[in-house]
Amino acid sequence: AIGLEKCCIVVHDNGDGGKHGTSGTGFGLRSVQERLALTYGQQFSFAISRAGGYRVEIEIPAGRRAP
């Protein structure tokens, strides 16, 4: 259907998933999510999982350019 095309971006690493603690604040991932919301409103998805490392999945409308 028209308008339903999506672009899916997946970033995955097989590290320890942050089990050993980190000096990071999570600002980078939070910033990405906030920018997606500003650009795409409710038309995006953002998911993080930590099974076997970090995995971040982002879906945005295909063909739409950020302002």
Side-chain angles (χ1 to χ4, degrees):
I2 295 174
L4 295 180
E5 294 87 13
K6 301 256 184 200
C7 174
C8 182
I9 302 164
V10 178
V11 179
H12 182 247
D13 77 36
N14 60 356
D16 67 7
K19 293 177 186 171
H20 298 294
T22 178
S23 61
T25 62
F27 177 77
L29 292 174
R30 185 173 38 234
S31 178
V32 168
Q33 189 171 15
E34 289 171 0
R35 288 173 185 238
L36 288 168
L38 286 172
T39 303
Y40 299 105
Q42 297 293 318
Q43 297 183 11
F44 79 97
S45 67
F46 182 87
I48 302 170
S49 62
R50 294 187 185 180
Y54 273 90
R55 180 180 176 95
V56 177
E57 294 185 38
I58 298 169
E59 282 191 7
I60 57 175
R64 178 174 172 186
R65 292 179 183 228

